Amino acid sequence: MLKLLTPCLVVNTIYDINLALLKQRGIRGIIFDLDNTIVAWNSPELGPDMRAWLQQLSGHELKVCLLSNNGNKRVKAIADQCGAPFVARALKPARTGFRQAVHTLGLTPAEVAVVGDQLFTDMLGGNRLGLFTIWVQPLASQEFIGTKITRQFEKLAIRLLRASGRL
Ligand SMILES: [Mg+2]
């Protein structure tokens, strides 16, 4: 279980992701979580810096897909702001949504990275499918009540991961 929660890479912010390194590893597409990864929780729009950063990825020959447990309407609104395809109501950490996103990108799991702020949804689901998992610190402290509960388990998992030298 601990192994499946362990991110392949840990960064403070999305802007710290080394794109050249990803490409060296054969990554050709990135799946992004929505809430507290590219937008603050419940926010209806991408900030200008985040939008610009997401849009420049195509210049690096990296395809983008958004993957969220949130509803279709909100996810689409944000996906449209950066011109990316999306999968909503993903039921992460279930593999189905991740598979759909990989399929949307037209790539194989080995060619795809996933960026997210939660160990129990984004990292667990991504690792289960063999994606290159990248864990970012949440953008804001405000969260969905369900996430606040999961965070308590996440804190425990982080302690265990650190104690076992995985983080
Ligand atoms: Mg999130």
Side-chain angles (χ1 to χ4, degrees), residues 33-37 39 92 116-118 121-122 143 147 151:
D33 166 52
L34 207 68
D35 283 306
N36 270 341
T37 295
V39 287
K92 290 181 276 182
D117 70 305
Q118 285 195 65
T121 54
D122 309 308
E143 291 185 305
T147 307
R151 288 284 186 207

Side-chain angles (χ1 to χ4, degrees), residues 41-42 118 141-153:
W41 175 66
N42 229 358
Q118 285 195 65
S141 56
Q142 253 200 329
E143 291 185 305
F144 170 59
I145 180 77
T147 307
K148 285 186 182 171
I149 295 163
T150 318
R151 288 284 186 207
Q152 297 308 311
F153 293 101

Side-chain angles (χ1 to χ4, degrees), residues 49 51 58 66-67 73 82 87 118 122 140 151 154 161 165:
D49 291 352
R51 184 183 313 183
S58 62
L66 307 188
L67 178 71
K73 198 175 161 194
C82 59
V87 176
Q118 285 195 65
D122 309 308
R151 288 284 186 207
E154 191 176 78
L161 289 172

Side-chain angles (χ1 to χ4, degrees), residues 62-136:
L62 288 163
K63 295 179 181 179
V64 172
C65 184
L66 307 188
L67 178 71
S68 174
N69 286 350
N70 217 249
N72 201 70
K73 198 175 161 194
R74 176 158 174 270
V75 182
K76 184 182 187 308
I78 290 166
D80 285 349
Q81 290 166 36
C82 59
F86 68 93
V87 176
R89 296 198 189 286
L91 302 175
K92 290 181 276 182
R95 272 170 292 196
T96 320
F98 286 91
R99 278 205 196 98
Q100 250 179 288
V102 168
H103 179 77
T104 300
L105 290 168
L107 300 171
T108 64
E111 296 172 315
V112 176
V114 55
V115 179
D117 70 305
Q118 285 195 65
L119 293 182
F120 280 96
T121 54
D122 309 308
M123 300 301 106
L124 178 57
N127 284 334
R128 287 177 77 200
L129 204 62
L131 308 183
F132 185 76
T133 46
I134 304 174
W135 189 39
V136 291

